[in-house]
Amino acid sequence: MVDETKTAKLTIDGDSYDLPILSPTAGPDVLDIRKLYGQAGVFTYDPGFTSTAACDSTITFIDGGKGELLHRGYPIDQLASQSHFLEVCYLLLYDALPTAAELEDFETTITRHTMIHEQMHNFFRGFRRDAHPMATMVGVVGAMSAFYHDSTDIADPRQREIASHRLIAKMPTIAAMAYKYSIGQPFVYPRNDLDYAANFLHMCFSVPAEEYQVDPILARAMDRIFTLHADHEQNASTSTVRLASSSGANPFACIAAGIACLWGPAHGGANQACLEMLNEIGTVDRIPEFIARAKDKNDPFRLMGFGHRVYKNFDPRATVMKQSADEVLELLGVENNPILAVAKELEAAALADPYFAEKKLFPNVDFYSGIILEAMGFPTSMFTPIFALARTVGWISQWKEQISDPALKIGRPRQLYLGETARDYVNIEDR
Ligand code: CMC
């Protein structure tokens, strides 16, 4: 909303321009520069969007200084301990906690959409067995637009709704199939009698040859991991989804774009990179060597699972994740896991080091998640697909919010051009 009493004044070569100031319900004020180019003929420059709000949103709020994360106003630690993933999905999508009847209806809808088109099995089989499951997911999710034509018309609210449900429901099936394919085991169909997280574990770890009972405590831990990853405001993959969607692209294509962006090690790929780093460190006596490398300007090495663009304090998700790691490892009887010991020592060593304190680098969500996932039996290559599965609801909620805005404009950043100015073409024999 515009606060008429507050305006910023910009002076360029003696000419003054008034910039309206928008006041959010929480967070810093925002300078409205939408008319700046038209009025003053200048662009703003902000690579990496460190100071730029690219949209308005009512879904998720982060206070990086306080280490606070709210979904529709509800703190993440309360949602992680008192709610569960499908209820959080409903909250993100529909802006309110559901009544018991609404939740039951929503859970039934999601459960009834978990199977994928049978012909998609052939699509999976086109991939090499050693393909990274993220590569398979980018391809298969993008291909959903070729299988579900009846939910790609973004102008139709009902089709948008069905696409949202399909994506949330089918993502565990697709992630589990990517895993099964990579290890040469048969695909396992979803089971409607299991809840969302238990069904995913069942599709990943059961085999037709014998009975597999999902441990309810592991299912709860899995559900909590999903909840902790559900949404995170305008991060790189969410912004990618929004940019793709701004052109009117269909939701399956947009989510595939988000998955591609998430894959990078600076973003969702950090959970895999973090566990690989902890394994490489191996024993606590090697921690000082790796801390020294992380601080060395001439060494590209970074402490994976540390630092965040927005959090300049503890990532609240990391705190819950650390508790979960202790619980899950104890349950599995591996509380003396050497990698957990390395992680805890590394965290303590980094937090005590002035380099990390001065730069406000704290553990992020990826620091402990890999330890839990590995203890559950997932290979490192499945960590980022699990992140993608859980983040799908966030991407979809942000997509839905954007697409419902009548003022939607195609995203089109400008640039600071530093190349050659116009020059004449030179024929090849004259170069
Ligand atoms: N280890 C060592 N130094 C670091 C680290 C780290 N993990 N992260 C940042 N720094 C330093 C960096 O070298 C820079 O130093 P200087 O100012 O002297 O040049 C300073 O801290 C600021 O770093 P930046 O790269 O400008 O900060 P950013 O906001 O652009 O990057 C980040 C944020 C998450 C990409 C970065 O902290 C990082 O690469 N962390 C490791 C990867 C990681 O864990 N990513 C998961 C993020 S949370 C989940 C998700 O969003 O997907």
Coordinates of all heavy atoms in Angstrom, one line a residue, residues 122-212:
N122 N 6.8 -45.3 -19.8 CA 7.7 -45.4 -21.0 C 8.6 -44.2 -21.1 O 9.7 -44.4 -21.5 CB 6.8 -45.6 -22.3 CG 5.9 -46.7 -22.3 OD1 6.2 -47.7 -21.6 ND2 4.8 -46.7 -23.0
F123 N 8.1 -43.1 -20.8 CA 8.9 -41.9 -20.8 C 10.1 -42.0 -19.9 O 11.2 -41.7 -20.3 CB 8.0 -40.7 -20.4 CG 8.6 -39.4 -20.7 CD1 8.5 -38.9 -22.0 CD2 9.3 -38.7 -19.8 CE1 9.1 -37.7 -22.3 CE2 9.9 -37.4 -20.1 CZ 9.8 -36.9 -21.3
F124 N 9.9 -42.5 -18.7 CA 11.0 -42.8 -17.7 C 12.0 -43.7 -18.3 O 13.2 -43.5 -18.2 CB 10.4 -43.5 -16.4 CG 10.0 -42.5 -15.4 CD1 8.7 -42.1 -15.3 CD2 10.9 -42.1 -14.4 CE1 8.3 -41.2 -14.3 CE2 10.6 -41.2 -13.4 CZ 9.3 -40.7 -13.3
R125 N 11.5 -44.7 -19.0 CA 12.4 -45.7 -19.5 C 13.4 -45.2 -20.6 O 14.3 -45.9 -21.0 CB 11.7 -47.0 -20.0 CG 11.0 -47.7 -18.8 CD 10.5 -49.1 -19.2 NE 10.0 -49.7 -17.9 CZ 8.8 -49.7 -17.5 NH1 7.8 -49.1 -18.2 NH2 8.4 -50.3 -16.4
G126 N 13.1 -44.0 -21.1 CA 14.0 -43.4 -22.1 C 15.2 -42.9 -21.5 O 16.2 -42.6 -22.2
F127 N 15.2 -42.7 -20.2 CA 16.4 -42.1 -19.6 C 17.5 -43.2 -19.3 O 17.2 -44.4 -19.1 CB 16.1 -41.5 -18.2 CG 15.3 -40.2 -18.4 CD1 13.9 -40.2 -18.3 CD2 16.0 -39.0 -18.6 CE1 13.2 -39.0 -18.4 CE2 15.3 -37.8 -18.7 CZ 13.9 -37.8 -18.6
R128 N 18.8 -42.8 -19.3 CA 19.8 -43.7 -18.8 C 19.6 -44.0 -17.4 O 19.1 -43.2 -16.6 CB 21.2 -43.1 -19.0 CG 21.7 -43.1 -20.4 CD 22.9 -42.2 -20.6 NE 24.0 -42.6 -19.6 CZ 25.3 -42.6 -19.9 NH1 25.7 -42.3 -21.1 NH2 26.2 -43.0 -19.0
R129 N 19.9 -45.2 -17.0 CA 19.7 -45.6 -15.6 C 20.6 -44.8 -14.6 O 20.3 -44.5 -13.5 CB 20.1 -47.1 -15.3 CG 19.2 -48.1 -16.0 CD 18.1 -48.5 -15.1 NE 17.2 -49.4 -15.8 CZ 16.0 -49.7 -15.4 NH1 15.5 -49.2 -14.3 NH2 15.3 -50.6 -16.1
D130 N 21.8 -44.3 -15.1 CA 22.7 -43.5 -14.3 C 22.4 -42.0 -14.3 O 23.2 -41.2 -13.8 CB 24.1 -43.8 -14.6 CG 24.5 -43.5 -16.0 OD1 23.6 -43.1 -16.8 OD2 25.7 -43.6 -16.4
A131 N 21.2 -41.6 -14.9 CA 20.9 -40.2 -14.9 C 20.6 -39.7 -13.5 O 20.1 -40.5 -12.7 CB 19.6 -40.0 -15.7
H132 N 21.0 -38.5 -13.2 CA 20.7 -37.9 -11.9 C 19.2 -37.8 -11.8 O 18.5 -37.4 -12.7 CB 21.4 -36.6 -11.7 CG 21.4 -36.1 -10.3 ND1 20.2 -35.7 -9.6 CD2 22.4 -36.0 -9.4 CE1 20.5 -35.3 -8.4 NE2 21.8 -35.5 -8.2
P133 N 18.6 -38.2 -10.6 CA 17.1 -38.1 -10.5 C 16.6 -36.7 -10.8 O 15.4 -36.6 -11.2 CB 16.8 -38.6 -9.1 CG 18.0 -39.3 -8.6 CD 19.2 -38.9 -9.4
M134 N 17.4 -35.7 -10.5 CA 16.9 -34.3 -10.8 C 16.8 -34.1 -12.3 O 15.9 -33.5 -12.8 CB 17.9 -33.3 -10.2 CG 17.7 -33.0 -8.8 SD 16.1 -32.4 -8.3 CE 16.2 -30.7 -8.6
A135 N 17.7 -34.7 -13.1 CA 17.6 -34.6 -14.6 C 16.3 -35.3 -15.0 O 15.6 -34.8 -15.9 CB 18.8 -35.3 -15.2
T136 N 16.0 -36.5 -14.4 CA 14.8 -37.2 -14.8 C 13.6 -36.4 -14.4 O 12.6 -36.2 -15.2 CB 14.8 -38.6 -14.1 OG1 16.0 -39.2 -14.3 CG2 13.7 -39.4 -14.6
M137 N 13.6 -35.7 -13.2 CA 12.5 -35.0 -12.8 C 12.2 -33.8 -13.6 O 11.0 -33.5 -13.9 CB 12.6 -34.6 -11.3 CG 12.4 -35.7 -10.4 SD 12.4 -35.3 -8.7 CE 10.8 -34.4 -8.5
V138 N 13.3 -33.0 -14.0 CA 13.1 -31.9 -14.9 C 12.3 -32.3 -16.2 O 11.4 -31.7 -16.6 CB 14.4 -31.2 -15.3 CG1 14.2 -30.1 -16.3 CG2 15.1 -30.7 -14.1
G139 N 12.8 -33.5 -16.7 CA 12.2 -33.9 -18.0 C 10.8 -34.4 -17.8 O 9.9 -34.0 -18.6
V140 N 10.6 -35.2 -16.7 CA 9.2 -35.8 -16.6 C 8.2 -34.8 -16.2 O 7.1 -34.8 -16.7 CB 9.3 -37.0 -15.5 CG1 7.9 -37.5 -15.2 CG2 10.2 -38.1 -16.0
V141 N 8.6 -33.8 -15.3 CA 7.6 -32.8 -14.9 C 7.3 -31.9 -16.1 O 6.1 -31.6 -16.4 CB 8.1 -32.0 -13.7 CG1 7.1 -30.9 -13.4 CG2 8.2 -33.0 -12.5
G142 N 8.3 -31.6 -16.9 CA 8.0 -30.8 -18.1 C 7.1 -31.5 -19.0 O 6.2 -31.0 -19.6
A143 N 7.3 -32.9 -19.1 CA 6.5 -33.7 -20.0 C 5.0 -33.8 -19.5 O 4.2 -34.2 -20.3 CB 7.1 -35.1 -20.1
M144 N 4.8 -33.5 -18.3 CA 3.4 -33.6 -17.8 C 2.4 -32.7 -18.7 O 1.3 -33.1 -18.9 CB 3.2 -33.1 -16.4 CG 3.8 -34.2 -15.4 SD 3.7 -33.5 -13.7 CE 2.0 -33.8 -13.2
S145 N 3.0 -31.7 -19.3 CA 2.1 -30.8 -20.1 C 1.7 -31.6 -21.4 O 0.8 -31.2 -22.1 CB 2.8 -29.5 -20.4 OG 4.1 -29.6 -20.6
A146 N 2.5 -32.6 -21.7 CA 2.1 -33.4 -22.9 C 1.1 -34.5 -22.6 O 0.5 -35.1 -23.4 CB 3.4 -34.0 -23.5
F147 N 0.9 -34.7 -21.3 CA 0.0 -35.8 -20.8 C -1.3 -35.3 -20.2 O -2.3 -36.0 -20.2 CB 0.7 -36.7 -19.8 CG 1.7 -37.6 -20.4 CD1 3.1 -37.2 -20.5 CD2 1.4 -38.9 -20.9 CE1 4.0 -38.0 -21.0 CE2 2.4 -39.7 -21.4 CZ 3.7 -39.3 -21.5
Y148 N -1.3 -34.1 -19.7 CA -2.5 -33.5 -19.0 C -3.0 -32.2 -19.7 O -3.0 -31.2 -19.1 CB -2.1 -33.3 -17.5 CG -1.8 -34.6 -16.8 CD1 -0.4 -34.9 -16.5 CD2 -2.7 -35.5 -16.5 CE1 -0.1 -36.1 -16.0 CE2 -2.4 -36.8 -16.0 CZ -1.1 -37.0 -15.7 OH -0.7 -38.2 -15.1
H149 N -3.4 -32.4 -20.9 CA -3.8 -31.2 -21.7 C -5.0 -30.5 -21.1 O -5.2 -29.4 -21.3 CB -4.3 -31.7 -23.1 CG -3.2 -32.4 -23.9 ND1 -2.2 -31.7 -24.6 CD2 -3.0 -33.7 -24.1 CE1 -1.4 -32.5 -25.1 NE2 -1.8 -33.7 -24.9
D150 N -5.8 -31.3 -20.3 CA -7.0 -30.7 -19.7 C -6.7 -29.8 -18.5 O -7.7 -29.4 -17.9 CB -8.0 -31.8 -19.4 CG -7.4 -32.8 -18.3 OD1 -6.2 -32.8 -18.2 OD2 -8.1 -33.6 -17.7
S151 N -5.5 -29.6 -18.2 CA -5.2 -28.7 -17.1 C -4.1 -27.7 -17.4 O -3.3 -27.3 -16.6 CB -4.9 -29.4 -15.8 OG -3.9 -30.4 -15.9
T152 N -4.0 -27.3 -18.7 CA -2.9 -26.4 -19.1 C -3.5 -25.0 -19.5 O -2.7 -24.1 -19.9 CB -2.1 -27.0 -20.3 OG1 -3.0 -27.4 -21.3 CG2 -1.2 -28.1 -19.8
D153 N -4.8 -24.9 -19.5 CA -5.4 -23.6 -19.9 C -5.4 -22.7 -18.6 O -6.2 -22.7 -17.8 CB -6.8 -23.8 -20.4 CG -7.5 -22.4 -20.7 OD1 -6.8 -21.4 -20.6 OD2 -8.7 -22.4 -21.1
I154 N -4.4 -21.8 -18.6 CA -4.2 -21.0 -17.4 C -5.3 -19.9 -17.2 O -5.4 -19.3 -16.1 CB -2.8 -20.3 -17.4 CG1 -2.6 -19.5 -18.6 CG2 -1.7 -21.3 -17.2 CD1 -1.5 -18.5 -18.5
A155 N -6.1 -19.7 -18.2 CA -7.2 -18.7 -18.1 C -8.4 -19.3 -17.4 O -9.2 -18.6 -17.0 CB -7.6 -18.2 -19.5
D156 N -8.4 -20.6 -17.2 CA -9.5 -21.3 -16.6 C -9.2 -21.6 -15.1 O -8.3 -22.5 -14.9 CB -9.8 -22.5 -17.4 CG -11.0 -23.3 -16.8 OD1 -11.4 -23.1 -15.7 OD2 -11.5 -24.3 -17.5
P157 N -9.8 -20.9 -14.1 CA -9.5 -21.2 -12.7 C -9.6 -22.6 -12.3 O -8.8 -23.1 -11.5 CB -10.5 -20.3 -12.0 CG -11.0 -19.3 -12.9 CD -10.9 -20.0 -14.3
R158 N -10.6 -23.4 -12.9 CA -10.7 -24.8 -12.5 C -9.6 -25.6 -13.0 O -9.1 -26.5 -12.3 CB -12.1 -25.3 -13.1 CG -12.4 -26.7 -12.8 CD -12.6 -27.0 -11.3 NE -12.7 -28.4 -10.9 CZ -12.1 -28.9 -9.9 NH1 -11.4 -28.2 -9.0 NH2 -12.1 -30.2 -9.7
Q159 N -9.1 -25.3 -14.2 CA -7.9 -26.0 -14.7 C -6.7 -25.7 -13.9 O -5.8 -26.6 -13.7 CB -7.7 -25.7 -16.2 CG -8.8 -26.2 -17.1 CD -8.3 -26.4 -18.6 OE1 -7.1 -26.6 -18.8 NE2 -9.3 -26.4 -19.5
R160 N -6.6 -24.5 -13.5 CA -5.4 -24.1 -12.6 C -5.5 -24.9 -11.4 O -4.4 -25.4 -10.9 CB -5.5 -22.6 -12.3 CG -5.4 -21.7 -13.5 CD -4.8 -20.3 -13.2 NE -5.7 -19.5 -12.3 CZ -6.5 -18.5 -12.7 NH1 -6.5 -18.2 -14.0 NH2 -7.2 -17.9 -11.9
E161 N -6.6 -25.0 -10.8 CA -6.8 -25.8 -9.5 C -6.4 -27.2 -9.7 O -5.7 -27.8 -8.9 CB -8.3 -25.7 -9.1 CG -8.6 -26.5 -7.9 CD -8.9 -25.5 -6.8 OE1 -9.1 -24.3 -7.0 OE2 -9.0 -26.0 -5.6
I162 N -6.9 -27.8 -10.8 CA -6.6 -29.3 -11.1 C -5.1 -29.4 -11.3 O -4.5 -30.4 -10.8 CB -7.4 -29.8 -12.3 CG1 -8.9 -29.8 -12.0 CG2 -7.0 -31.2 -12.7 CD1 -9.8 -30.1 -13.2
A163 N -4.5 -28.5 -12.0 CA -3.0 -28.6 -12.2 C -2.3 -28.5 -10.9 O -1.3 -29.3 -10.7 CB -2.6 -27.5 -13.2
S164 N -2.7 -27.6 -10.0 CA -2.1 -27.5 -8.7 C -2.2 -28.8 -7.9 O -1.2 -29.3 -7.4 CB -2.8 -26.4 -7.8 OG -2.9 -25.2 -8.5
H165 N -3.4 -29.4 -7.9 CA -3.6 -30.7 -7.2 C -2.7 -31.8 -7.8 O -2.1 -32.6 -7.1 CB -5.0 -31.1 -7.2 CG -5.9 -30.1 -6.4 ND1 -7.2 -30.0 -6.5 CD2 -5.5 -29.2 -5.4 CE1 -7.7 -29.1 -5.7 NE2 -6.7 -28.6 -5.0
R166 N -2.7 -31.8 -9.1 CA -2.0 -32.9 -9.8 C -0.5 -32.8 -9.5 O 0.2 -33.8 -9.2 CB -2.1 -32.7 -11.3 CG -3.4 -33.3 -11.8 CD -3.5 -33.4 -13.3 NE -4.6 -34.2 -13.8 CZ -5.4 -33.9 -14.8 NH1 -5.1 -32.8 -15.5 NH2 -6.4 -34.7 -15.1
L167 N 0.1 -31.6 -9.5 CA 1.5 -31.4 -9.2 C 1.8 -31.8 -7.8 O 2.8 -32.6 -7.6 CB 1.9 -30.0 -9.5 CG 2.2 -29.7 -11.0 CD1 2.1 -28.3 -11.4 CD2 3.6 -30.2 -11.4
I168 N 1.0 -31.4 -6.8 CA 1.3 -31.7 -5.4 C 1.2 -33.3 -5.3 O 2.0 -33.9 -4.6 CB 0.4 -31.0 -4.5 CG1 0.7 -29.5 -4.5 CG2 0.5 -31.5 -3.0 CD1 -0.4 -28.6 -3.9
A169 N 0.2 -33.8 -5.9 CA -0.1 -35.3 -5.7 C 0.9 -36.2 -6.4 O 1.3 -37.2 -5.9 CB -1.5 -35.6 -6.2
K170 N 1.3 -35.8 -7.6 CA 2.1 -36.7 -8.4 C 3.6 -36.5 -8.2 O 4.4 -37.4 -8.6 CB 1.8 -36.4 -9.9 CG 0.4 -36.8 -10.3 CD 0.1 -36.7 -11.8 CE -1.4 -36.6 -12.1 NZ -2.2 -37.6 -11.5
M171 N 4.0 -35.4 -7.6 CA 5.5 -35.2 -7.4 C 6.1 -36.3 -6.6 O 7.2 -36.8 -7.0 CB 5.7 -33.8 -6.8 CG 7.1 -33.3 -7.1 SD 7.4 -33.1 -8.9 CE 6.7 -31.5 -9.1
P172 N 5.5 -36.8 -5.5 CA 6.2 -38.0 -4.8 C 6.3 -39.2 -5.7 O 7.3 -39.9 -5.6 CB 5.2 -38.2 -3.6 CG 4.5 -36.9 -3.4 CD 4.3 -36.3 -4.8
T173 N 5.2 -39.4 -6.5 CA 5.3 -40.6 -7.4 C 6.4 -40.5 -8.4 O 7.2 -41.4 -8.6 CB 3.9 -40.7 -8.1 OG1 2.9 -40.5 -7.2 CG2 3.8 -42.0 -8.8
I174 N 6.6 -39.2 -8.9 CA 7.6 -39.0 -9.9 C 9.0 -39.1 -9.3 O 9.9 -39.8 -9.8 CB 7.4 -37.6 -10.6 CG1 6.1 -37.7 -11.5 CG2 8.6 -37.2 -11.4 CD1 5.7 -36.4 -12.0
A175 N 9.2 -38.5 -8.1 CA 10.5 -38.6 -7.4 C 10.8 -40.0 -7.0 O 12.0 -40.5 -7.2 CB 10.4 -37.7 -6.1
A176 N 9.8 -40.8 -6.5 CA 10.1 -42.2 -6.2 C 10.4 -43.0 -7.4 O 11.3 -43.9 -7.4 CB 8.9 -42.8 -5.4
M177 N 9.7 -42.7 -8.5 CA 10.0 -43.5 -9.7 C 11.4 -43.2 -10.3 O 12.1 -44.1 -10.8 CB 8.9 -43.2 -10.8 CG 7.6 -43.8 -10.5 SD 6.3 -43.3 -11.7 CE 6.7 -44.3 -13.1
A178 N 11.8 -41.9 -10.2 CA 13.2 -41.5 -10.6 C 14.2 -42.3 -9.8 O 15.2 -42.8 -10.3 CB 13.4 -40.0 -10.4
Y179 N 13.9 -42.5 -8.5 CA 14.8 -43.2 -7.6 C 14.8 -44.7 -8.0 O 15.9 -45.3 -8.2 CB 14.4 -43.1 -6.2 CG 15.1 -43.9 -5.2 CD1 16.5 -44.0 -5.2 CD2 14.5 -44.7 -4.3 CE1 17.2 -44.8 -4.3 CE2 15.2 -45.6 -3.4 CZ 16.5 -45.6 -3.5 OH 17.2 -46.4 -2.6
K180 N 13.6 -45.3 -8.1 CA 13.5 -46.7 -8.4 C 14.2 -47.0 -9.8 O 14.9 -48.0 -9.9 CB 12.1 -47.2 -8.5 CG 11.4 -47.3 -7.1 CD 12.1 -48.4 -6.3 CE 11.2 -48.9 -5.1 NZ 12.0 -49.7 -4.2
Y181 N 14.0 -46.1 -10.7 CA 14.6 -46.4 -12.1 C 16.1 -46.3 -11.9 O 16.8 -47.2 -12.6 CB 14.1 -45.3 -13.0 CG 14.5 -45.5 -14.4 CD1 13.9 -46.5 -15.2 CD2 15.6 -44.8 -15.0 CE1 14.3 -46.8 -16.5 CE2 16.0 -45.1 -16.3 CZ 15.4 -46.1 -17.0 OH 15.8 -46.3 -18.3
S182 N 16.6 -45.4 -11.1 CA 18.1 -45.3 -11.0 C 18.7 -46.5 -10.3 O 19.9 -46.8 -10.5 CB 18.5 -44.0 -10.3 OG 18.2 -44.2 -8.9
I183 N 18.0 -47.3 -9.6 CA 18.6 -48.4 -8.9 C 18.1 -49.8 -9.6 O 18.4 -50.8 -9.0 CB 18.3 -48.5 -7.4 CG1 16.8 -48.4 -7.0 CG2 19.1 -47.4 -6.7 CD1 16.5 -48.6 -5.6
G184 N 17.4 -49.6 -10.6 CA 17.0 -50.8 -11.4 C 15.9 -51.6 -10.8 O 15.7 -52.8 -11.1
Q185 N 15.1 -51.0 -9.9 CA 14.0 -51.8 -9.2 C 12.7 -51.4 -9.9 O 12.6 -50.3 -10.5 CB 13.9 -51.4 -7.7 CG 15.0 -52.1 -6.9 CD 14.8 -51.9 -5.4 OE1 13.8 -51.4 -5.0 NE2 15.8 -52.4 -4.7
P186 N 11.7 -52.3 -9.8 CA 10.4 -52.0 -10.4 C 9.7 -50.7 -9.7 O 9.9 -50.5 -8.6 CB 9.5 -53.2 -10.1 CG 10.3 -54.1 -9.2 CD 11.7 -53.6 -9.1
F187 N 9.0 -50.0 -10.5 CA 8.2 -48.9 -10.0 C 7.2 -49.4 -9.0 O 6.6 -50.5 -9.2 CB 7.5 -48.1 -11.1 CG 8.4 -47.5 -12.2 CD1 8.1 -47.6 -13.5 CD2 9.5 -46.8 -11.8 CE1 8.9 -47.0 -14.5 CE2 10.3 -46.2 -12.7 CZ 10.0 -46.3 -14.1
V188 N 6.9 -48.6 -8.0 CA 5.9 -49.0 -7.0 C 4.7 -48.0 -7.1 O 5.0 -46.8 -7.0 CB 6.5 -49.0 -5.5 CG1 5.4 -49.3 -4.5 CG2 7.6 -50.0 -5.4
Y189 N 3.5 -48.5 -7.3 CA 2.4 -47.7 -7.4 C 2.0 -47.0 -6.1 O 2.3 -47.6 -5.0 CB 1.2 -48.4 -7.9 CG 1.3 -48.8 -9.4 CD1 1.8 -50.0 -9.8 CD2 0.8 -47.9 -10.4 CE1 2.0 -50.3 -11.2 CE2 1.0 -48.1 -11.7 CZ 1.5 -49.4 -12.1 OH 1.6 -49.6 -13.5
P190 N 1.4 -45.8 -6.1 CA 1.0 -45.2 -4.8 C -0.1 -46.0 -4.1 O -0.8 -46.7 -4.8 CB 0.5 -43.8 -5.3 CG 0.3 -43.9 -6.8 CD 1.1 -45.0 -7.3
R191 N -0.2 -45.8 -2.8 CA -1.2 -46.5 -2.0 C -2.1 -45.5 -1.3 O -1.6 -44.6 -0.6 CB -0.5 -47.4 -1.0 CG -0.4 -48.8 -1.6 CD 0.1 -49.8 -0.6 NE -0.4 -49.6 0.8 CZ 0.1 -50.3 1.8 NH1 1.1 -51.2 1.6 NH2 -0.3 -50.1 3.0
N192 N -3.4 -45.5 -1.6 CA -4.3 -44.5 -1.1 C -4.6 -44.7 0.4 O -5.1 -43.8 1.0 CB -5.6 -44.6 -1.8 CG -5.5 -44.0 -3.2 OD1 -4.4 -43.6 -3.6 ND2 -6.6 -44.0 -3.9
D193 N -4.2 -45.8 1.0 CA -4.4 -46.0 2.4 C -3.3 -45.4 3.3 O -3.4 -45.3 4.5 CB -4.6 -47.5 2.8 CG -3.3 -48.3 2.5 OD1 -2.7 -48.0 1.4 OD2 -2.9 -49.2 3.2
L194 N -2.3 -44.9 2.6 CA -1.1 -44.3 3.4 C -1.2 -42.8 3.3 O -1.7 -42.3 2.3 CB 0.2 -44.8 2.8 CG 0.5 -46.3 2.9 CD1 1.8 -46.7 2.2 CD2 0.5 -46.7 4.4
D195 N -0.7 -42.1 4.3 CA -0.7 -40.7 4.2 C 0.5 -40.2 3.2 O 1.2 -41.1 2.8 CB -0.5 -40.0 5.6 CG 0.8 -40.2 6.3 OD1 1.8 -40.3 5.6 OD2 0.8 -40.3 7.5
Y196 N 0.6 -38.9 3.0 CA 1.4 -38.4 1.9 C 2.9 -38.8 2.1 O 3.5 -39.4 1.2 CB 1.3 -36.9 2.0 CG 1.9 -36.1 0.8 CD1 1.2 -35.9 -0.4 CD2 3.2 -35.6 0.9 CE1 1.7 -35.2 -1.4 CE2 3.7 -34.9 -0.2 CZ 3.0 -34.7 -1.4 OH 3.5 -34.0 -2.4
A197 N 3.4 -38.7 3.3 CA 4.8 -39.0 3.6 C 5.0 -40.5 3.6 O 6.0 -41.0 3.0 CB 5.3 -38.4 4.9
A198 N 4.1 -41.2 4.3 CA 4.3 -42.7 4.3 C 4.2 -43.3 2.9 O 4.9 -44.2 2.6 CB 3.2 -43.3 5.3
N199 N 3.3 -42.8 2.1 CA 3.2 -43.3 0.8 C 4.5 -43.1 0.0 O 4.9 -44.0 -0.8 CB 2.0 -42.6 0.1 CG 1.9 -42.9 -1.4 OD1 1.9 -44.1 -1.7 ND2 1.8 -42.0 -2.3
F200 N 5.1 -41.9 0.2 CA 6.4 -41.7 -0.5 C 7.4 -42.7 -0.1 O 8.1 -43.2 -0.9 CB 6.8 -40.2 -0.3 CG 8.2 -39.9 -0.9 CD1 8.3 -40.0 -2.3 CD2 9.3 -39.6 -0.1 CE1 9.6 -39.7 -2.8 CE2 10.5 -39.3 -0.7 CZ 10.6 -39.4 -2.0
L201 N 7.5 -42.9 1.2 CA 8.6 -43.8 1.7 C 8.3 -45.2 1.2 O 9.2 -46.0 0.8 CB 8.6 -43.9 3.3 CG 9.1 -42.6 4.0 CD1 8.9 -42.7 5.5 CD2 10.6 -42.4 3.6
H202 N 7.0 -45.6 1.1 CA 6.6 -46.9 0.6 C 7.0 -47.0 -0.9 O 7.5 -48.0 -1.3 CB 5.1 -47.1 0.8 CG 4.6 -48.5 0.4 ND1 4.1 -48.8 -0.8 CD2 4.6 -49.6 1.2 CE1 3.8 -50.1 -0.8 NE2 4.1 -50.6 0.4
M203 N 6.7 -46.0 -1.6 CA 7.1 -46.0 -3.1 C 8.6 -46.1 -3.3 O 9.1 -46.6 -4.3 CB 6.5 -44.8 -3.8 CG 5.0 -44.9 -4.0 SD 4.3 -43.6 -5.1 CE 4.7 -42.1 -4.2
C204 N 9.3 -45.5 -2.3 CA 10.8 -45.6 -2.5 C 11.4 -46.9 -2.0 O 12.4 -47.4 -2.6 CB 11.4 -44.4 -1.7 SG 11.2 -42.8 -2.4
F205 N 10.9 -47.4 -0.9 CA 11.6 -48.5 -0.2 C 11.0 -49.9 -0.3 O 11.6 -50.9 0.1 CB 11.9 -48.1 1.2 CG 12.8 -46.9 1.3 CD1 12.5 -45.8 2.1 CD2 14.1 -46.9 0.7 CE1 13.3 -44.7 2.1 CE2 14.9 -45.8 0.7 CZ 14.5 -44.7 1.5
S206 N 9.7 -50.0 -0.7 CA 9.1 -51.3 -0.8 C 9.5 -52.0 -2.1 O 9.8 -51.3 -3.1 CB 7.6 -51.2 -0.6 OG 7.0 -50.7 -1.8
V207 N 9.5 -53.3 -2.1 CA 9.7 -54.0 -3.4 C 8.5 -55.1 -3.5 O 8.0 -55.5 -2.4 CB 11.0 -54.8 -3.4 CG1 12.2 -53.8 -3.6 CG2 11.3 -55.6 -2.1
P208 N 8.2 -55.5 -4.7 CA 7.0 -56.4 -4.8 C 7.3 -57.7 -4.1 O 6.4 -58.4 -3.7 CB 6.9 -56.6 -6.3 CG 7.6 -55.5 -6.9 CD 8.7 -55.1 -6.0
A209 N 8.6 -58.1 -3.9 CA 8.9 -59.4 -3.3 C 8.6 -59.6 -1.9 O 8.5 -60.7 -1.4 CB 10.4 -59.7 -3.6
E210 N 8.5 -58.5 -1.1 CA 8.2 -58.7 0.3 C 7.4 -57.5 0.9 O 7.5 -56.4 0.3 CB 9.5 -59.0 1.1 CG 10.5 -57.9 1.1 CD 11.8 -58.3 1.8 OE1 12.4 -59.2 1.4 OE2 12.1 -57.6 2.8
E211 N 6.8 -57.8 2.1 CA 6.0 -56.8 2.8 C 7.0 -55.7 3.3 O 8.1 -56.0 3.8 CB 5.4 -57.5 3.9 CG 4.5 -56.6 4.8 CD 3.1 -56.4 4.2 OE1 2.8 -56.9 3.0 OE2 2.3 -55.6 4.8
Y212 N 6.6 -54.4 3.2 CA 7.4 -53.3 3.8 C 6.4 -52.5 4.7 O 5.4 -52.0 4.2 CB 7.9 -52.4 2.7 CG 8.6 -51.2 3.1 CD1 9.9 -51.2 3.7 CD2 7.9 -49.9 3.1 CE1 10.5 -50.0 4.1 CE2 8.5 -48.8 3.6 CZ 9.8 -48.8 4.1 OH 10.4 -47.7 4.5

